[in-house]
Amino acid sequence: MKHTAETLLSMKKSGEPIAMATAYDLLSASLAQAAGVETLLVGDSAANVVFGLGSTTEIGMEEMLLCVRTVCRCASGTYVAADFPFGADATPETALANAERFLAAGASSVKIELPDERAWKALEALRARGIPAIAHLGLLPQTARSRRQCARTDAEAEALLLAGARADSLGVDAVVVEHVPDAVGASLARSVKAPVIGIGAGSGTDGQVLVFHDLLGLFEKSPPFAPRFVEGRALLAEGLRRYVEWVKTRGASPR
Ligand code: KIV
């Protein structure tokens, strides 16, 4: 079944949690799709986990487009959101042009971090043109000064709920909310129509999203709020170690 904004909404209505994971290439897209992940996010986390850059602000549209095209080709039955890299929404015109490029590459929607009024103007322009979008609230890695949990005070929580309502009124496909208290994640999910997909936002959201490499334990470190479901790095390292031993012993060591 091809997942769409409508199927995600019906999952929210029926109380079925939505699984989203990031994907960047053939392996991540096809493994996630085969495991039953309903929605893929080509995240700007590609900067760190694919391209080895120091920050998500260092990736651009060209690298993102390469990943989006690959993921859409390799997981054609899946809803694929494409993350705006830093600066891709600098003005409403830039946002529109970049969103068209993502949609032409096969994306179902674009995800936009909303730190300020400039980003909201870009989101409004996208929605006015009918471009499907996902709003990203809470911790916003592109502009955050620290990794501390967001919306911890009543006033901050209230502001986040208002931002959720504003995104909802624009008809976004979903809201991603990152690193907020469980109670805030749950209130946001209760207060908006759109599915709320949490990362470090507790189990009361309508779904969860994790970075592919984090959930599979492919790096030594992952954010404290990102659970690891397998220690993939150790498994892969052992396979490679055995391969090198096999080569060095001219095939004498057992595989
Ligand atoms: O870029 C990314 O991977 C993300 C998720 C962590 C939500 O934005």
Side-chain angles (χ1 to χ4, degrees):
M1 161 178 161
K2 165 89 181 162
H3 286 286
T4 61
E6 289 69 38
T7 59
L8 301 182
L9 194 56
S10 65
M11 287 173 77
K12 171 168 180 142
K13 285 186 183 149
S14 68
E16 184 185 346
I18 299 163
M20 178 187 266
T22 64
Y24 316 96
D25 57 9
L26 166 66
L27 191 65
S28 51
S30 58
L31 279 174
Q33 187 181 34
V37 173
E38 289 107 1
T39 57
L40 297 178
L41 168 66
V42 183
D44 63 357
S45 49
N48 310 110
V49 300
V50 176
F51 295 106
L53 299 166
S55 146
T56 55
T57 57
E58 291 175 45
I59 195 169
M61 276 301 290
E62 302 314 316
E63 293 98 326
M64 289 299 296
L65 275 165
L66 190 62
C67 295
V68 169
R69 259 186 230 110
T70 307
V71 168
C72 293
R73 187 169 56 243
C74 301
S76 52
T78 308
Y79 179 103
V80 177
D83 212 0
F84 265 162
F86 184 66
D89 56 355
T91 66
E93 295 71 30
T94 320
L96 284 169
N98 285 324
E100 296 294 357
R101 295 183 80 195
F102 276 152
L103 296 188
S108 314
S109 68
V110 299
K111 178 171 84 59
I112 177 167
E113 294 187 16
L114 293 162
D116 54 24
E117 210 39 50
R118 174 205 50 79
W120 280 100
K121 291 282 168 257
L123 177 61
E124 280 162 13
L126 297 177
R127 294 300 305 130
R129 288 278 186 95
I131 293 174
I134 293 183
H136 188 152
L137 302 174
L139 179 69
L140 305 175
Q142 289 175 2
T143 48
R145 291 218 191 89
S146 89
R147 295 262 148 191
R148 80 180 257 284
Q149 193 181 49
C150 297
R152 288 199 295 193
T153 65
D154 286 352
E156 287 166 349
E158 182 61 23
L160 187 123
L161 294 182
L162 283 173
R166 183 171 176 186
D168 212 27
S169 72
L170 294 172
V172 294
D173 283 3
V175 176
V176 163
V177 65
E178 181 164 352
H179 203 17
V180 297
D182 295 10
V184 176
S187 307
L188 182 65
R190 277 195 306 272
S191 68
V192 297
K193 281 205 302 293
V196 173
I197 315 285
I199 170 164
S203 57
T205 53
D206 304 305
Q208 301 289 332
V209 56
L210 284 175
V211 169
F212 181 85
H213 297 63
D214 290 342
L215 78 93
L216 293 180
L218 294 176
F219 286 113
E220 264 140 29
K221 278 201 194 149
S222 38
F225 55 80
R228 299 158 76 97
F229 296 89
V230 65
E231 289 303 321
R233 191 177 184 89
L235 282 175
L236 295 180
E238 173 60 10
L240 285 163
R241 192 198 59 73
R242 285 162 66 177
Y243 164 65
V244 172
E245 197 181 321
W246 179 77
V247 172
K248 300 293 178 190
T249 60
R250 297 185 187 279
S253 69
R255 271 175 284 155

